[in-house]
């Protein structure tokens, strides 16, 4: 009996051993205490929650957004909650590369950059204005390029100087893992961040800089309230079945992922399942998570097909009912 049990353990133990050798990049701890953390979209929502939490952990926090008055209000809130007085605020539009570069120079070298800015207007592609689509892409994607380009040279110098790992965290969305009705332009802008992050990690890992992609679900923020008003009815039917999260809970998950150097950072159980289902060729530093990805790939693919069946059935039923009404 004991021999049979040992034989059963050989394949999973052997696989774990192989994955421990293969997993790259190697796991790292990215400290926040006494380091400079710059967060965009930091005047409200997830960004403000992350800034407050990082300041509580002893980080010197800078926040960047467009509205200076709201930034000052956010600074006061962070100072009140954390007891730290050294909170920097920088007003800039991430679509403006020159303004972003000036803000980064004013802020000084960054150890942890969190690209948390983003906008979302749900609409069917055929009905959505091209200017609105371009606006989303310019902020969600090009704004991230502008920030990373501006911050990277000084970040590399900082990691050489301190010999501590740095981090570039990019706020994507679960809509950056799977496309949903009404999210055509938004999903495109968020899916692109994954390609950016995967390639960027290859380019910066030898400089001791890690990259984290964060995939929150619907989150209770001021932006989400506005977005919900614009959602097509069918989008509400499909996406409304997913559980949302509080900004503070997303912030905690995001910071934990950044500090552990994770590449993919899911924020809830559904997100963890999505991460396994969409792992593909993504880097993975944890042999245990890699094991779950390898073992769970087939099951997650079957579950994904079930979800797609449900979504397509919902779409077909919705349009069939509308035709009858006509």
């Amino acid at each position: 009996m004991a021999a049979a049990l040992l034989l059963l353990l050989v394949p999973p133990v052997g696989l774990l051993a192989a994955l421990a050798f293969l997993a790259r990049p190697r796991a790292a701890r990215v400290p926040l205490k006494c380091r400079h953390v710059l967060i965009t979209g930091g005047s409200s929502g997830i960004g403000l929650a992350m800034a407050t939490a990082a300041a509580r952990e002893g980080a010197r926090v800078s926040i960047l957004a467009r509205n200076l008055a709201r930034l000052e209000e956010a600074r006061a809130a962070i100072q009140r909650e954390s007891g730290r007085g050294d909170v920097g605020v920088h007003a800039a539009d991430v679509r403006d590369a020159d303004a972003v570069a000036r803000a980064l120079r004013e802020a000084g070298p960054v150890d942890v950059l969190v690209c948390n800015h983003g906008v979302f207007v749900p609409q069917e592609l055929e009905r959505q204005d091209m200017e609105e689509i371009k606006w989303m892409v310019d902020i969600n994607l090009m704004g991230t390029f502008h920030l990373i380009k501006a911050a990277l040279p000084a970040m590399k110098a900082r990691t050489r100087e301190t010999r501590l790992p740095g981090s570039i965290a990019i706020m994507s969305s679960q809509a950056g893992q799977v496309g949903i009705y009404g999210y055509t332009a938004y999903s495109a802008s968020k899916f692109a961040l994954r390609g950016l992050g995967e390639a960027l990690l290859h380019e910066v890992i030898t400089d001791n800089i890690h990259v984290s992609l964060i995939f929150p679900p619907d989150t209770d923020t001021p932006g989400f309230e506005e977005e919900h008003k614009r959602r097509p009815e069918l989008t509400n039917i499909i996406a409304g079945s997913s559980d949302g999260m509080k900004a503070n809970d997303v912030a905690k998950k995001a910071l934990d992922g950044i500090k552990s150097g994770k590449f993919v950072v899911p924020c809830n159980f559904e997100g963890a399942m999505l991460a396994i289902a969409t792992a593909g060729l993504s880097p993975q530093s944890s042999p245990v998570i890699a094991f779950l990805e390898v073992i769970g790939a087939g099951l997650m693919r079957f579950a994904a097909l079930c979800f797609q069946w449900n979504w397509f059935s919902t779409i077909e039923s919705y349009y069939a009912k509308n035709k009858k009404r006509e």
Side-chain angles (χ1 to χ4, degrees):
M1 185 70 176
L5 284 172
L6 283 173
L7 283 173
L8 285 173
L9 287 173
V10 168
V13 170
L15 178 58
L16 266 172
L19 293 172
F21 172 75
L22 292 171
R24 289 292 189 279
R26 293 300 187 194
R29 296 298 300 175
V30 180
L32 299 184
K33 189 175 182 179
C34 300
R35 307 190 79 200
H36 186 196
V37 178
L38 189 144
I39 301 171
T40 64
S43 61
S44 65
I46 296 170
L48 177 56
M50 289 183 73
T52 304
R56 282 199 194 110
E57 292 195 29
R60 178 170 75 86
V61 169
S62 295
I63 53 175
L64 184 150
R66 284 176 293 177
N67 190 305
L68 184 57
R70 290 179 64 187
L71 280 166
E72 292 292 356
E73 291 174 6
R75 169 156 59 186
I78 296 165
Q79 290 172 333
R80 186 171 58 251
E81 293 292 325
S82 68
R84 292 187 66 95
D86 55 348
V87 179
V89 296
H90 305 277
D93 187 330
V94 295
R95 292 173 294 177
D96 186 336
D98 292 335
V100 168
R102 282 194 300 273
L104 267 291
R105 284 195 297 271
E106 291 169 6
V110 174
D111 297 297
V112 176
L113 174 67
V114 182
C115 302
N116 170 70
H117 57 276
V119 291
F120 178 27
V121 181
Q123 187 74 64
E124 296 92 340
L125 178 62
E126 186 178 8
R127 298 178 181 179
Q128 194 155 36
D129 186 78
M130 277 306 301
E131 284 303 309
E132 198 166 62
I133 293 169
K134 186 176 183 297
W135 176 68
M136 273 191 280
V137 172
D138 283 348
I139 292 174
N140 298 350
L141 178 58
M142 295 309 300
T144 303
F145 274 112
H146 294 158
L147 280 153
I148 296 171
K149 280 277 286 181
L152 203 49
M155 285 189 75
K156 289 183 176 183
R158 282 286 290 170
T159 58
R160 288 194 298 270
E161 177 190 337
T162 64
R163 298 191 177 182
L164 291 171
S167 175
I168 296 171
I170 300 170
M171 191 65 68
S172 184
S173 162
Q174 285 184 357
Q177 294 173 293
V178 58
I180 297 290
Y181 183 100
Y183 285 24
T184 305
Y186 180 68
S187 282
S189 71
K190 291 295 187 176
F191 264 84
L193 295 175
R194 184 166 194 142
L196 187 166
E198 288 186 4
L200 179 66
L201 180 57
H202 285 181
E203 297 176 11
V204 300
I205 192 61
T206 55
D207 294 290
N208 202 16
I209 298 173
H210 292 259
V211 176
S212 293
L213 279 173
I214 303 158
F215 294 98
D218 286 344
T219 305
D220 186 11
T221 65
F224 177 68
E225 290 174 13
E226 289 303 312
E227 170 261 310
H228 204 273
K229 296 173 186 175
R230 280 284 304 268
R231 270 185 177 180
E233 184 182 3
L234 188 47
T235 305
N236 276 327
I237 294 169
I238 294 171
S241 59
S242 299
D243 292 331
M245 289 183 72
K246 298 293 184 184
N248 286 338
D249 296 330
V250 172
K252 185 180 185 309
K253 291 285 187 182
L255 285 177
D256 286 347
I258 291 167
K259 289 186 290 183
S260 61
K262 287 182 180 177
F263 178 71
V264 170
V265 183
C267 295
N268 59 6
F269 177 76
E270 187 180 75
M273 296 301 99
L274 264 175
I276 292 172
T278 60
L281 286 171
S282 292
Q284 180 55 261
S285 57
S286 167
V288 174
I289 301 299
F291 181 84
L292 293 174
E293 289 170 350
V294 171
I295 297 301
L299 181 61
M300 287 300 101
R301 179 56 182 153
F302 178 77
L305 290 171
C306 292
F307 274 105
Q308 290 289 352
W309 174 85
N310 180 56
W311 293 335
F312 278 104
S313 297
T314 300
I315 292 165
E316 289 163 4
S317 174
Y318 179 85
Y319 275 93
K321 284 179 181 176
N322 280 355
K323 281 183 181 177
K324 284 181 181 177
R325 288 172 190 165
E326 292 170 6

